[in-house]
Amino acid sequence: MASPYQSDAYPPMLSKLNSVQREAAKYLGGPLLVLAGAGSGKTRVITHKIAYLVEECGYEARNIAAITFTNKAANEMRERVGHLLQGKNAKGLVVSTFHSLGMNILRQEAKLLGYKPQFSILDGSDTWKIISELSNSTDKQELRDIQTQLSNWKSAFISPEQAIAQPGSREGEAHARLYLRYQETLRAYQAVDFDDLIHLPVVLFKDHPEALERWQHRLRYLLIDEYQDTNDCQYQLTRLLAGPRAAFTAVGDDDQAIYAWRGASIENLHNLRTDYPNLRVIKLEQNYRSSQRILKVANHLINHNTKVFEKRLWSEHGIGDPIRVYAARDEEHEAESVVMKLLSHKFECKCKFSDYAILYRSNYLARIFEEHLRAQRVPYTVSGGTSFFDKAEIKDITSYLRLIANPDDDPAFIRAITTPKRGIGNATLEKLGNLAGSRHVSLFEAAFDAQLEDLLPPRQYEDLMLFCLFISRIADRAEADPCGELLDELLRAIHYEAWLYDSFESRQAEGKWKNVEDFTGWLKRKAEADDKSLLEMVQTIALINMLDGKDQESDAVTLSTLHAAKGLEFPHVFIIGAEEDILPFRDSDEKGIEEERRLMYVGITRAERSLQISYCKRRRRGKDWALCESSRFLDEMPEDELVYAGIHAEAAQTVTKEEGLDKLAKLKAMLNKAGS
């Protein structure tokens, strides 16, 4: 392998990097932290470093792992590396999310942990259903609290037995007992949840040093993106994989750490210095996205946070437009003014709708903007909310389709056989799961094992066989028969519409059934247009993540939460609802205020050329109006870079109905007195 200390000359692949980016790409003298400011080209550094490792330093691509947080980021990175490493050189390269990497580790080492290699992965709705049944509760807040508690226990490596032994409240003890039953249920299903995909590899590596040695030898260089978003489990996993050689590059930005609410710890960035005394820190401060004014405002704001690593973004993109701060009378006025400003700006500058984004702290703020955009016939897309594909009723139907296409898909089997309920409960599934585990086969295959009939009561066995034989019959026809015909037959056979009306109040059931009809209607039309079978359509759904983009306009305004906008960029950005109790979020403590400030910073640095921040003087609270106070973050921005517009004079007069009637009565009395 070549020396990590290269000469000052640099290979052609690094010629498009600036000097600091090039330094980060070439450095192999030990552990490296790249502090990458917003828009500073961090993905370029990671992808070029991979190419450099392969082309110049003698690394095999299969011995390198680039780890990120989203499939989108992983796909983008994979595509870019593919362009840099033509041909066979990229073969075997691992570019994946943390969860995908964890899944691959578990699949290969499953037997060491007592799992079959084709174990099931349950998503949030699957685990929600299990927790709801175990707790005998339908209270959404209670179920969310339990899910969070179980996730926190796993992240802290607290076993169910340890949780039960901890002193605590009655509620905490109940949750700990439920945790034990929850884990037993997952074992019975031969299934893991999302947290397990990181938690279990750490357990595996700690309990089985030979497995850790295998993976350390296989993954000889690590590149970890968005390091500030790692939680304790992810931090431990990367430390174990890096091992004593510590051959890694961590890329992150403490100013963009906005996910503490889902377990991310900004301390992981800071702890690198403690864990690796020889850590090299390289700062990427040149921004390739935004104007100088936007960066000045962003820098000024974020400097109010406590810092371990000082960093100041700069740009060669020119001064740029002044930052506009708009005070609206109320939310109706705010939405109207933003949409009108957007339309007039688009007309004047001849931009596309997709050049604009409207960003907000919470999803409920988007509703009135959607109304105004629709009224003006402006195309828009909404991100950061629940996608159509994530709706429970759509996942129910797709579980049947997934099972028809692949009988080894255990999560699909579990969801389909229990929705609608058909007399098959946890006891039956536990026996089936144990048999599947002992035979190292899928649940569907285990159902046809001769031994199962002796393990189950006759009624449960008969119900199970009816279901499995039905799936087999549809699967046999899935390649040849018309897609629409099979879909209609499937929905009739499982009585899904009737089950919805039995399980939900009629309006909710009607809405859910309408979603199912929209979904199956789309599948039928697509199958007919493309001349595809049901089997081919299921594969198509898996490939294109289906309805995520079903009705999206290619040229449309983006409406997004600030959290969901991270990693995106737009020429023109509107940040709305910049008020106390909204941004920053109400009841934020000192640590929370710093995270909220980082969230505002993320919003500001999405903008390339123009930025408007707006707030309301009053908002409706039920039938009454409540006065609003502009966000403290506006006061923390450099005043000379801000242009104020809207209602910046005296606060709008806000009166309740009773105060109004009282004033009217006094006015009438004055008039009567004047007339007498």
Side-chain angles (χ1 to χ4, degrees):
M1 191 171 292
S3 166
Y5 305 103
Q6 306 293 328
S7 68
D8 290 338
Y10 50 85
M13 76 188 64
L14 302 185
S15 62
K16 292 183 180 178
L17 304 185
N18 67 34
S19 59
V20 184
Q21 291 173 334
R22 197 177 303 126
E23 183 185 4
K26 287 181 67 178
Y27 183 75
L28 294 174
L32 172 66
L33 170 61
V34 179
L35 277 175
S40 63
K42 66 182 178 65
T43 305
R44 175 177 285 194
V45 168
I46 293 171
T47 53
H48 281 73
K49 185 156 194 166
I50 292 169
Y52 179 69
L53 288 167
V54 174
E55 298 281 9
E56 299 292 326
C57 303
Y59 277 85
E60 296 283 341
R62 59 189 170 82
N63 295 137
I64 301 169
I67 310 166
T68 187
F69 277 83
T70 66
N71 287 322
K72 182 182 174 186
N75 290 337
E76 182 191 351
M77 210 175 279
R78 197 177 294 113
E79 193 174 319
R80 288 209 209 174
V81 173
H83 288 308
L84 291 170
L85 289 176
Q86 299 295 333
K88 296 178 184 176
N89 282 352
K91 192 175 180 183
L93 175 70
V94 176
V95 182
S96 76
T97 63
F98 269 101
H99 290 92
S100 294
L101 177 63
M103 180 193 71
N104 289 331
I105 292 169
L106 290 180
R107 288 221 189 278
Q108 293 187 38
E109 310 288 351
K111 288 182 181 177
L112 289 176
L113 291 172
Y115 286 90
K116 58 175 184 172
Q118 63 270 41
F119 59 82
S120 306
I121 300 166
L122 304 186
D123 64 16
S125 59
D126 294 323
T127 59
W128 177 282
K129 194 171 180 182
I130 293 169
I131 292 168
S132 177
E133 288 175 355
L134 291 176
S135 62
N136 198 26
S137 170
T138 56
D139 184 303
K140 289 184 177 179
Q141 188 55 53
E142 182 185 3
L143 294 174
R144 268 194 293 270
D145 290 344
I146 295 171
Q147 264 188 325
T148 301
Q149 180 63 78
L150 300 194
S151 180
N152 289 343
W153 272 326
K154 286 192 180 185
S155 294
F157 296 94
I158 296 171
S159 69
E161 293 75 17
Q162 289 170 324
I164 290 169
Q166 285 179 341
S169 64
R170 184 176 295 179
E171 182 184 57
E173 289 171 6
H175 288 181
R177 287 193 297 274
L178 189 143
Y179 181 23
L180 180 64
R181 292 166 59 212
Y182 172 77
Q183 287 302 107
E184 288 170 349
T185 303
L186 292 193
R187 276 282 181 181
Y189 289 176
Q190 277 286 299
V192 300
D193 62 21
F194 218 50
D195 291 310
D196 285 329
L197 293 176
I198 311 296
H199 170 86
L200 286 175
V202 174
V203 172
L204 168 80
F205 289 154
K206 287 182 174 179
D207 293 348
H208 299 277
E210 73 281 11
L212 175 59
E213 194 176 330
R214 267 196 299 276
W215 283 89
Q216 286 176 342
H217 181 72
R218 178 174 168 185
L219 303 179
R220 303 189 63 78
Y221 201 92
L222 303 178
L223 300 104
I224 307 109
D225 192 16
E226 304 286 11
Y227 206 77
Q228 77 282 350
D229 293 338
T230 55
N231 61 26
D232 291 339
C233 263
Q234 289 156 339
Y235 186 70
Q236 289 205 44
L237 179 61
T238 53
R239 276 201 71 194
L240 285 164
L241 284 171
R245 287 187 304 108
F248 70 82
T249 295
V251 182
D253 182 6
D254 48 347
D255 292 335
Q256 295 188 75
I258 58 173
Y259 293 118
W261 52 276
R262 69 180 191 197
S265 173
I266 193 173
E267 298 306 315
N268 290 342
L269 264 183
H270 305 159
N271 290 340
L272 282 173
R273 272 189 166 165
T274 308
D275 295 335
Y276 301 98
N278 63 331
L279 180 75
R280 174 80 180 275
V281 179
I282 296 175
K283 300 176 186 178
L284 303 184
E285 296 173 293
Q286 182 174 359
N287 174 284
Y288 291 93
R289 176 187 302 157
S290 306
S291 71
Q292 292 171 18
R293 273 204 172 104
I294 289 169
L295 295 182
K296 183 177 178 182
V297 167
N299 286 329
H300 214 277
L301 171 71
I302 204 65
N303 280 341
H304 286 79
N305 273 6
T306 52
K307 298 261 208 169
V308 173
F309 302 105
E310 288 297 331
K311 186 170 74 286
R312 190 168 188 83
L313 294 181
W314 59 276
S315 166
E316 294 180 343
H317 279 349
I319 298 295
D321 300 340
I323 312 302
R324 183 179 159 96
V325 177
Y326 191 88
R329 285 190 303 274
D330 51 41
E331 56 262 55
E332 188 81 35
H333 180 216
E334 182 182 36
E336 181 183 14
S337 64
V338 165
V339 173
M340 288 299 106
K341 171 75 175 169
L342 187 155
L343 286 171
S344 64
H345 188 277
K346 179 182 182 296
F347 178 75
E348 289 167 19
C349 302
K350 295 182 172 57
C351 297
K352 297 181 294 184
F353 283 118
S354 56
D355 290 336
Y356 297 88
I358 300 172
L359 310 181
Y360 37 82
R361 175 63 176 81
S362 301
N363 275 307
Y364 75 89
L365 294 166
R367 182 188 57 79
I368 196 163
F369 285 83
E370 290 194 62
E371 290 174 7
H372 278 269
L373 289 166
R374 280 199 299 267
Q376 297 298 325
R377 299 187 178 178
V378 175
Y380 67 90
T381 59
V382 182
S383 62
T386 303
S387 78
F388 184 83
F389 195 54
D390 283 335
K391 292 181 185 296
E393 57 273 20
I394 304 305
K395 296 188 82 147
D396 288 342
I397 302 306
T398 52
S399 69
Y400 283 88
L401 301 181
R402 282 164 46 194
L403 188 59
I404 288 164
N406 174 21
D408 288 335
D409 188 335
D410 283 0
F413 180 93
I414 292 164
R415 188 169 191 128
I417 203 167
T418 56
T419 314
K421 289 192 179 297
R422 46 175 55 81
I424 296 166
N426 278 351
T428 301
L429 287 173
E430 185 170 354
K431 288 172 182 171
L432 180 63
N434 288 335
L435 182 61
S438 67
R439 296 282 198 268
H440 304 295
V441 297
S442 69
L443 295 171
F444 189 87
E445 189 175 337
F448 293 97
D449 191 298
Q451 190 183 340
L452 187 65
E453 189 171 3
D454 300 329
L455 298 174
L456 296 179
R459 178 65 188 274
Q460 276 69 41
Y461 180 74
E462 184 182 336
D463 288 340
L464 180 63
M465 290 297 20
L466 278 172
F467 172 79
C468 291
L469 290 170
F470 167 71
I471 294 295
S472 289
R473 283 197 302 276
I474 297 284
D476 288 342
R477 297 163 53 200
E479 205 155 1
D481 287 17
C483 178
E485 183 183 308
L486 286 175
L487 279 170
D488 290 339
E489 186 177 329
L490 174 66
L491 290 175
R492 280 196 305 272
I494 67 175
H495 305 297
Y496 192 77
E497 183 180 11
W499 176 77
L500 284 176
Y501 280 94
D502 287 343
S503 305
F504 302 93
E505 58 93 11
S506 64
R507 183 178 292 181
Q508 197 176 1
E510 187 179 342
K512 286 176 174 289
W513 180 244
K514 173 70 167 56
N515 288 335
V516 170
E517 288 183 316
D518 286 349
F519 171 57
T520 54
W522 176 79
L523 275 174
K524 290 176 190 176
R525 289 191 302 275
K526 184 85 173 154
E528 191 171 348
D530 298 348
D531 192 25
K532 287 189 173 179
S533 66
L534 179 63
L535 195 60
E536 288 170 319
M537 280 309 300
V538 177
Q539 291 164 344
T540 300
I541 292 167
L543 284 173
I544 64 173
N545 199 10
M546 192 225 105
L547 290 176
D548 264 5
K550 178 172 74 95
D551 291 321
Q552 283 191 1
E553 301 270 357
S554 56
D555 183 24
V557 174
T558 296
L559 267 63
S560 174
T561 61
L562 287 160
H563 284 101
K566 185 166 172 283
L568 304 179
E569 55 189 53
F570 306 91
H572 311 290
V573 168
F574 295 87
I575 298 175
I576 63 167
E579 297 146 37
E580 291 293 304
D581 294 341
I582 294 178
L583 183 63
F585 196 67
R586 65 180 177 275
D587 303 328
S588 297
D589 57 15
E590 189 177 341
K591 201 170 180 181
I593 291 292
E594 292 212 339
E595 174 136 345
E596 293 291 303
R597 189 176 286 112
R598 291 193 291 269
L599 193 57
M600 174 67 97
Y601 174 86
V602 164
I604 292 168
T605 53
R606 297 314 91 198
E608 296 172 0
R609 296 202 291 277
S610 77
L611 172 68
Q612 174 176 296
I613 304 171
S614 60
Y615 66 93
C616 295
K617 288 289 190 176
R618 61 179 188 172
R619 282 187 184 272
R620 278 201 180 276
R621 299 284 186 266
K623 292 181 180 178
D624 294 333
W625 291 97
L627 285 173
C628 300
E629 185 183 348
S630 62
S631 171
R632 71 189 73 183
F633 299 148
L634 291 171
D635 297 330
E636 295 172 356
M637 297 175 191
E639 197 168 348
D640 59 326
E641 297 296 350
L642 306 179
V643 174
Y644 292 89
I647 316 296
H648 276 278
E650 192 175 336
Q653 188 65 37
T654 306
V655 293
T656 64
K657 185 178 179 182
E658 291 74 17
E659 289 171 332
L661 290 171
D662 185 48
K663 286 190 177 184
L664 185 60
K666 287 177 180 175
L667 182 60
K668 283 181 180 176
M670 286 172 62
L671 290 170
N672 290 335
K673 188 175 181 181
S676 60

